[in-house]
Amino acid sequence: MTGTLVLAGTPIGEIADAPPRLATELAAADVIAAEDTRRLRRLTQALEVTPAGRIVSYFEGNEAARTPELADALAGGARVLLVTDAGMPSVSDPGYRLVAAAVERGIKVTAVPGPSAVLTALAVSGLPVDRFCFEGFLPRKAGERRSRLSEVEGERRTLVYFEAPHRLDDTLAAMAEVFGADRRAAVCRELTKTYEEVKRGPLGELAAWAAEGVRGEITIVVEGAPQSGPQETDAAELVRRVRIREEAGERRKEAIAAVAAEAGLPKREVFDAVVAAKNAEKDAAKDGKGAGKPGAPSGTVSGIRSRGGVAKPSGGE
C-alpha cells in the first residue's frame, strides 16, 4: 500500500493565517520535508505542535538528490508532508520534482491549501484580476531579464512577479523601458506582516521610488498590455521594441517578426519603420545637427495620421 504526499501551504507572514489542518498534518506525518528546518521548528513552536515523524531538509541545493529517497518512502507507505518557507510548495519553491516523481509512481498527491503571495498581491493590487499570468522570478542578468520581459510585452493579462528587494529597482526600470513608463503596477511588500506596504503607480514612478532602497519580501503586479490596433501603432514605438529585442540578443529579422506579430502588423511595416529610423540617424550624423532622438521617426505606420511624413523606403527583409 503506497503512502500520500501532502503539499502544505504555510503563512507568508501572519502566523494566525496558518490553516487549521496544517497543525494536524505536522503532527501526523511520517516524514516532514522542509525547505528550512530551522523555520519549520519556529513554525511548530508557534502552532504548539510536536512532530512525531522524521524531519529532513528539502531545498534547491539538495532537491534533485533527495527526491528519489522521498519517493521511495512514499512507495513504502509513508505519509510525507512537504512545506516551504512561505506559501505553497512548488510555486517558485521546491516541490515540483517530488510531485512529478509521485505522480509517475501512481502515488496519491493532495494539498493543504494555505496563504499565497500571488493571489494576495493580485487581490490588493487594484489591477484587473479576472485573467492573470504568474511569471515567477526574472533572470538576474540584465540582458536575459529584458529578453524575458519582451516575450510578454504584448500580454493582455495581468502579470505577477516575485523579486528580491536588492534587485527591485533594476527590475522596475527594465519593466518601465520594455512595457512603457506609464503602465500601471503595484509593488506589494511584506504582505500580511507588520510593515505591509502596497505601492501603486506607473512603472516609471515606481522605479524612481525603488531606487531609494526597499526591504522585505516583494511581489510585483503589472497591468496587462492595452488593446491596440495597427492604425494606432507609432513608428517610433515599433523601432523601440525592435531595438530592445536586438539588445537582448535577438537577430534583427527575428525581432522584426516578433514585434510585427505583437502589433498585428505586416512584417514589412515594421521593417520600413526600422529602415527609416536608420536612415534618419545617418542623415542627422551627416548634417551634424542630431535633430530629434535617434531612432524616433515621426508619424505612424500604415499611413495613418502622419505627423511628419515618414518616408517609406523600398527594400525587403
Side-chain angles (χ1 to χ4, degrees):
M1 186 174 182
T2 60
T4 300
L5 173 60
V6 183
L7 310 176
T10 55
I12 59 176
E14 176 57 58
I15 194 66
D17 292 336
R21 273 185 58 205
L22 177 58
T24 303
E25 293 289 351
L26 286 168
D30 298 307
V31 181
I32 301 175
E35 185 177 11
D36 187 326
T37 56
R38 293 167 299 180
R39 289 198 181 191
L40 173 64
R41 290 191 179 92
R42 290 197 292 270
L43 176 63
T44 56
Q45 290 171 1
L47 297 177
E48 299 181 347
V49 175
T50 302
R54 180 166 59 101
I55 297 175
V56 299
S57 64
Y58 189 73
F59 61 101
E60 184 179 3
N62 72 355
E63 184 179 2
R66 179 141 283 171
T67 293
E69 171 192 332
L70 294 173
D72 288 342
L74 287 163
R79 189 173 186 84
V80 176
L81 179 68
L82 177 60
V83 294
T84 53
D85 292 347
M88 202 67 188
S90 79
V91 180
S92 282
D93 276 334
Y96 168 74
R97 285 187 175 92
L98 185 54
V99 172
V103 170
E104 185 177 353
R105 296 196 186 196
I107 295 168
K108 179 181 178 181
V109 180
T110 188
V112 177
S116 165
V118 175
L119 297 181
T120 303
L122 273 168
V124 302
S125 69
L127 297 172
V129 298
D130 53 332
R131 299 174 69 223
F132 66 91
C133 300
F134 175 59
E135 289 289 308
F137 285 95
L138 287 166
R140 298 181 181 184
K141 294 183 178 179
E144 294 177 2
R145 181 170 56 231
R146 286 160 58 93
S147 180
R148 182 76 62 81
L149 289 171
S150 68
E151 291 176 3
V152 293
E153 181 183 358
E155 175 59 62
R156 300 288 308 284
R157 292 170 291 183
T158 299
L159 302 163
V160 184
Y161 296 88
F162 287 160
E163 190 52 279
H166 62 280
R167 290 195 297 269
L168 179 63
D169 55 341
D170 289 338
T171 293
L172 289 173
M175 287 179 171
E177 182 177 358
V178 176
F179 297 152
D182 294 331
R183 180 86 69 90
R184 294 188 302 163
V187 176
C188 305
R189 186 180 71 86
E190 295 289 88
L191 287 170
T192 79
K193 299 177 184 177
T194 302
Y195 298 104
E196 175 181 283
E197 179 182 21
V198 180
K199 189 75 172 178
R200 305 175 182 88
L203 281 168
E205 293 182 10
L206 291 176
W209 163 76
E212 300 176 5
V214 178
R215 295 181 180 181
E217 301 289 333
I218 304 293
T219 305
I220 307 171
V221 184
V222 183
E223 181 180 33
Q227 178 78 43
S228 60
Q231 70 279 8
E232 298 297 333
T233 306
D234 189 89
E237 174 63 15
L238 294 175
V239 172
R240 185 185 73 85
R241 294 183 188 181
V242 170
R243 288 188 172 175
I244 286 175
R245 287 180 171 274
E246 284 187 293
E247 290 171 5
E250 286 190 27
R251 295 171 54 194
R252 175 167 295 182
K253 184 176 181 180
E254 295 168 348
I256 288 173
V259 170
E262 291 170 357
L265 290 168
K267 288 186 286 185
R268 178 53 180 260
E269 297 285 357
V270 181
F271 174 81
D272 286 349
V274 172
V275 171
K278 187 175 181 180
N279 290 339
E281 289 178 2
K282 289 180 178 179
D283 291 342
K286 289 179 180 179
D287 296 341
K289 297 179 180 179
K293 294 184 179 179
S298 59
T300 56
V301 232
S302 301
I304 303 296
R305 296 187 312 183
S306 175
R307 292 190 298 272
V310 178
K312 289 190 176 181
S314 59
E317 293 182 27

